[in-house]
């Protein structure tokens, strides 16, 4: 999907490091307006080449009055004014606008964190659907505050403590909110964003997933041409399956899918996935058993990042060899590799702001993003790389991928390697984990909870504990269970199981999996944790 092809009015978010930045992207897309997020320190040419109708400056952990604080590029303000682009600053973004246009920001006398009531004051553009004196609860998260506004700006909202909460200069089309309208803790925040986009900026709500399907098929055909062949790496998950189905619709039998058993799959995953590919999706798939190859390379490796790099390298080596075999068979070498990379994969594989590189902290190196070797011979096709997980599921429905398959919980590219903490080849860790995970997931399905949970899985911990089983002392493994609710994987909360369910699952695991005598539950949200344990 090429963002430059979006004609209905791109909303571009410049990311300055807020944990909520990509929630802005998601909220705007939910209004049928295409939004895209790039680094806040991107060069001006990267911004102008996208021709956005609206630019939103995100929040962030920095202070605008410190020397190394990130900012939009030189010439941005002049470009926005000349091209009549609407600009909205959120939290740190508001402070950037104030400071860079000649106002003053300083450490606040009254810091504001969490829920706070604000009041609309003055005739407002951004609050044009509200009356003076109207109040609403918003989510604040700032220590600095705007104490002197640039010429032509006015305060249109204040907090109950008298701190500037909203500013605007309607003539220049610059607006700012000191709070986060994108989070659910600001109940009227979406109403404000919707009014700003449609009534103030006059953006058209014309973006649909059906458009993405048609556009991406055209892009794939233009990229591949009429004669080239393509390899698709199928993992058995929703992302790679939807990507494969999309490419298959674009180029037909010139797509060659390969499913690699790397020894890191879930219980009976290989048999179940291959049956689904053949029976329901009718995709041409070659299965390669490379479990010994992967496990031998991972022996003794503990660091999760090194695991990912090894797995990425081995995958690409297998794909290169598969391409060579196809060349012997077809008389023509495949040039492209399809992967189901998603937008969160790209986002979380970026370095931190202020590093001179990109916009957000590196959370993990995905084997299909940060883990790819630099000397890879195949060119990548990533048709889903600007989509969130729920958007991919929507696209899958358009492509007639079976609903039961689309509802499968996400499974990480490195597989169980990031769910066994420590050396995955030590003892029988993988076998224990597979059995525990199968019992946990089946129990969730039996209780009708599977579709209410975004992702659930078990984790093998690198510790043993003392237990009593059969009136004897045992010294056995500890496993953890994790289940989260989420929309897109960028943020998540742990799922609240009933105590009876947890009691039953714990008993089943300890009674049926040899070598386990203790089960613990992960009740951490994201943030501060990630969803996977690594």
């Amino acid at each position: 999907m090429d963002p430059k092809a979006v004609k209905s009015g791109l909303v571009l978010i410049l990311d300055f490091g807020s944990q909520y930045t990509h929630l802005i992207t998601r909220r705007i897309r939910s209004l049928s307006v295409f939004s895209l997020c790039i680094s806040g320190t991107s060069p001006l040419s990267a911004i102008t080449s996208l021709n956005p109708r609206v630019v939103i400056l995100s929040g962030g952990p920095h202070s605008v009055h410190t020397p190394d604080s990130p900012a939009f590029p030189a010439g941005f303000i002049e470009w926005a004014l000349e091209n009549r682009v609407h600009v909205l600053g959120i939290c740190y973004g508001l402070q950037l606008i104030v400071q860079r246009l000649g106002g003053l920001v300083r450490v606040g006398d009254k810091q504001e964190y969490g829920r706070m009531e604000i009041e609309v004051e003055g005739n407002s553009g951004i609050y044009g659907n509200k009356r003076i004196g109207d109040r609403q609860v918003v989510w604040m998260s700032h220590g600095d505050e705007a104490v002197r506004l640039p010429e032509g700006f006015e305060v249109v909202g204040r907090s109950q403590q008298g701190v500037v909460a909203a500013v605007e200069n309607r003539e220049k089309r610059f607006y700012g909110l000191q709070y986060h309208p994108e989070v659910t803790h600001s109940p009227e925040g979406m109403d404000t964003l919707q009014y700003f986009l449609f009534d103030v900026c006059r953006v058209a709500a014309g973006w649909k997933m059906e458009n993405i399907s048609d556009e991406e098929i055209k892009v794939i055909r233009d990229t591949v041409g009429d004669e080239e062949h393509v390899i698709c790496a199928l993992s058995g998950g929703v992302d790679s399956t939807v990507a494969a189905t999309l490419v298959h619709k674009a180029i037909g039998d010139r797509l060659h899918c390969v499913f690699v058993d790397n020894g890191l799959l879930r219980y009976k995953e290989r048999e179940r996935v291959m049956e689904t590919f053949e029976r329901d999706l009718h995709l041409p798939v070659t299965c390669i058993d490379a479990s010994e190859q992967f496990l031998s390379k991972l022996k003794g490796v503990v660091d999760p990042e090194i695991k990912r790099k090894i797995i990425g390298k081995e995958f690409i080596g297998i794909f290169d060899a598969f391409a060579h075999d196809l060349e012997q068979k077809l008389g023509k070498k495949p040039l492209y590799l399809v992967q189901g990379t998603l937008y969160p994969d790209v986002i979380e594989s970026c370095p931190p702001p202020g590093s001179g590189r990109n916009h957000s902290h590196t959370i993990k190196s995905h084997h299909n993003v940060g883990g790819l070797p630099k000397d890879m011979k195949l060119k990548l096709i990533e048709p889903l790389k600007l989509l969130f997980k729920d958007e991919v599921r929507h696209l899958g429905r358009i492509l007639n991928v079976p609903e039961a398959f689309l509802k499968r919980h996400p499974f990480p590219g490195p597989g169980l390697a990031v769910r066994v903490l420590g050396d995955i080849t030590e003892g029988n860790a993988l076998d224990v984990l597979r059995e525990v995970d199968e019992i946990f997931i089946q129990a969730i399905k039996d209780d009708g909870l599977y579709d209410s949970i975004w992702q659930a899985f078990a984790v093998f911990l690198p510790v043993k504990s003392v237990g009593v089983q059969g009136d004897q002392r045992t010294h056995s493994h500890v496993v953890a269970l994790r289940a989260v609710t989420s929309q897109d994987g960028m943020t998540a909360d742990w799922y609240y199981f009933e105590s009876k369910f947890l009691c039953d699952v714990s008993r089943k695991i300890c009674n049926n999996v040899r070598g386990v005598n203790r089960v613990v539950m992960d009740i951490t949200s994201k943030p501060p944790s990630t969803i996977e344990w690594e």
Side-chain angles (χ1 to χ4, degrees), residues 16-212:
F16 293 103
S18 168
Q19 61 179 311
Y20 305 125
T21 296
H22 304 290
L23 193 54
I24 305 172
T25 310
R26 192 65 198 89
R27 292 285 188 256
I28 293 173
R29 290 188 186 186
S30 72
L31 297 172
S32 298
V33 175
F34 185 61
S35 58
L36 186 67
C37 180
I38 66 173
S39 169
T41 56
S42 296
L44 185 61
S45 58
I47 297 171
T48 60
S49 66
L50 295 171
N51 192 31
R53 179 76 173 272
V54 179
V55 175
I56 296 179
L57 312 178
S58 87
H62 314 278
S63 294
V64 295
H65 43 73
T66 59
D68 58 347
S69 59
F72 43 70
F76 170 79
I77 293 173
E78 292 77 10
W79 165 80
L81 292 172
E82 182 179 344
N83 290 274
R84 303 183 65 80
V85 174
H86 287 79
V87 178
L88 171 64
I90 293 177
C91 197
Y92 178 79
L94 175 148
Q95 295 166 10
L96 267 180
I97 289 173
V98 169
Q99 186 217 45
R100 292 306 170 102
L101 272 77
L104 177 63
V105 176
R106 70 183 183 195
V107 177
D109 295 328
K110 301 174 181 178
Q111 297 181 343
E112 297 179 319
Y113 298 100
R115 289 182 175 86
M116 184 72 62
E117 191 175 68
I118 67 168
E119 181 176 325
V120 175
E121 67 173 55
N123 294 316
S124 168
I126 198 167
Y127 292 136
N129 57 341
K130 306 289 184 183
R131 294 178 299 179
I132 296 174
D134 279 354
R135 297 183 177 185
Q136 60 179 290
V137 173
V138 301
W139 187 258
M140 291 284 194
S141 182
H142 69 99
D144 293 349
E145 64 177 283
V147 295
R148 188 182 73 241
L149 298 188
E151 183 179 351
F153 279 76
E154 60 180 317
V155 178
V156 294
R158 287 187 187 273
S159 74
Q160 63 192 53
Q161 298 188 123
V163 175
V164 172
V167 302
E168 63 183 40
N169 184 325
R170 276 179 272 178
E171 182 181 353
K172 291 184 175 180
R173 294 168 295 280
F174 275 74
Y175 300 79
L177 299 173
Q178 185 56 72
Y179 60 92
H180 291 276
E182 70 274 19
V183 302
T184 55
H185 301 303
S186 297
E188 297 182 57
M190 276 300 290
D191 181 47
T192 300
L193 284 176
Q194 184 169 343
Y195 184 83
F196 173 71
L197 292 175
F198 299 142
D199 294 84
V200 176
C201 305
R202 302 292 180 183
V203 172
W207 183 70
K208 298 179 181 178
M209 196 57 64
E210 287 80 0
N211 299 342
I212 297 302

Side-chain angles (χ1 to χ4, degrees), residues 229-358:
H229 288 254
V230 176
I231 293 173
C232 180
L234 278 178
S235 68
V238 174
D239 310 331
S240 64
T241 300
V242 172
T245 304
L246 190 65
V247 175
H248 191 249
K249 187 172 182 180
I251 65 171
D253 291 341
R254 289 184 290 129
L255 172 69
H256 307 272
C257 299
V258 56
F259 176 77
V260 179
D261 182 351
N262 58 3
L264 304 169
L265 302 178
R266 289 170 289 192
Y267 184 80
K268 292 188 177 180
E269 179 81 351
R270 174 175 169 179
E271 297 87 342
R272 293 169 176 173
V273 165
M274 287 301 295
E275 181 182 356
T276 300
F277 287 152
E278 295 169 2
R279 183 191 62 202
D280 299 327
L281 299 174
H282 310 295
L283 289 172
V285 184
T286 299
C287 181
I288 297 176
D289 186 351
S291 53
E292 290 187 11
Q293 175 180 335
F294 277 83
L295 296 180
S296 64
K297 293 293 177 66
L298 290 166
K299 184 176 179 59
V301 179
V302 174
D303 189 303
E305 284 299 291
I306 297 177
K307 288 181 184 178
R308 288 179 179 273
K309 297 292 184 182
I310 291 172
I311 292 168
K313 183 177 180 181
E314 293 306 308
F315 266 124
I316 296 303
I318 289 172
F319 300 147
D320 282 340
F322 182 67
H324 178 74
D325 292 342
L326 275 179
E327 182 180 11
Q328 304 302 311
K329 178 182 177 181
L330 302 171
K332 190 175 186 64
K333 186 175 182 178
L335 298 179
Y336 298 94
L337 172 67
V338 177
Q339 292 197 138
T341 309
L342 300 193
Y343 200 29
D345 297 341
V346 176
I347 290 165
E348 293 191 339
S349 295
C350 293
S355 66
R357 292 178 287 165
N358 258 316

Side-chain angles (χ1 to χ4, degrees), residues 278-528:
E278 295 169 2
R279 183 191 62 202
D280 299 327
L281 299 174
H282 310 295
L283 289 172
V285 184
T286 299
C287 181
I288 297 176
D289 186 351
S291 53
E292 290 187 11
Q293 175 180 335
F294 277 83
L295 296 180
S296 64
K297 293 293 177 66
L298 290 166
K299 184 176 179 59
V301 179
V302 174
D303 189 303
E305 284 299 291
I306 297 177
K307 288 181 184 178
R308 288 179 179 273
K309 297 292 184 182
I310 291 172
I311 292 168
K313 183 177 180 181
E314 293 306 308
F315 266 124
I316 296 303
I318 289 172
F319 300 147
D320 282 340
F322 182 67
H324 178 74
D325 292 342
L326 275 179
E327 182 180 11
Q328 304 302 311
K329 178 182 177 181
L330 302 171
K332 190 175 186 64
K333 186 175 182 178
L335 298 179
Y336 298 94
L337 172 67
V338 177
Q339 292 197 138
T341 309
L342 300 193
Y343 200 29
D345 297 341
V346 176
I347 290 165
E348 293 191 339
S349 295
C350 293
S355 66
R357 292 178 287 165
N358 258 316
H359 57 281
S360 58
H361 287 259
T362 301
I363 307 300
K364 50 196 171 186
S365 296
H366 292 259
H367 81 275
N368 58 339
V369 182
L372 293 176
K374 295 179 180 179
D375 59 349
M376 191 178 74
K377 299 173 184 177
L378 296 165
K379 301 176 184 178
L380 283 180
I381 294 178
E382 299 172 301
L384 312 178
K385 68 179 180 180
L386 296 182
L387 299 180
F388 291 95
K389 175 71 75 172
D390 56 324
E391 293 174 323
V392 172
R393 288 192 169 107
H394 187 180
L395 180 59
R397 293 184 185 98
I398 294 171
L399 296 171
N400 295 317
V401 176
E403 189 68 22
F405 201 86
L406 292 175
K407 289 182 177 180
R408 295 191 79 198
H409 290 180
F411 187 60
L416 299 182
V418 293
R419 292 180 180 173
V420 172
L421 304 192
D423 183 355
I424 65 170
T425 65
E426 187 174 331
N428 61 341
L430 286 170
D431 290 334
V432 168
L433 180 58
R434 287 189 183 99
E435 292 185 55
V436 172
D437 189 75
E438 178 71 6
I439 291 172
F440 183 37
I441 299 303
Q442 190 58 52
I444 288 173
K445 291 179 178 178
D446 290 344
D447 267 37
L449 304 175
Y450 191 81
D451 292 345
S452 301
I453 297 171
W454 195 79
Q455 187 176 21
F457 56 90
V459 181
F460 185 93
L461 302 180
V463 293
K464 287 186 175 182
S465 72
V466 172
V468 179
Q469 292 171 297
D471 294 327
Q472 295 182 346
R473 178 187 186 276
T474 60
H475 190 231
S476 299
H477 299 298
V478 181
V479 294
L481 306 181
R482 181 147 172 79
V484 299
T485 57
S486 181
Q487 284 192 322
D488 48 40
M490 297 306 299
T491 59
D493 196 7
W494 59 283
Y495 185 83
Y496 293 67
F497 289 107
E498 292 185 1
S499 57
K500 183 180 183 304
F501 174 88
L502 294 175
C503 181
D504 290 344
V505 167
S506 175
R507 184 174 60 254
K508 287 178 183 177
I509 290 172
C510 291
N511 287 345
N512 291 281
V513 182
R514 185 178 297 275
V516 174
N517 67 2
R518 194 175 299 272
V519 179
V520 298
M521 188 75 198
D522 181 349
I523 57 169
T524 321
S525 62
K526 174 187 179 181

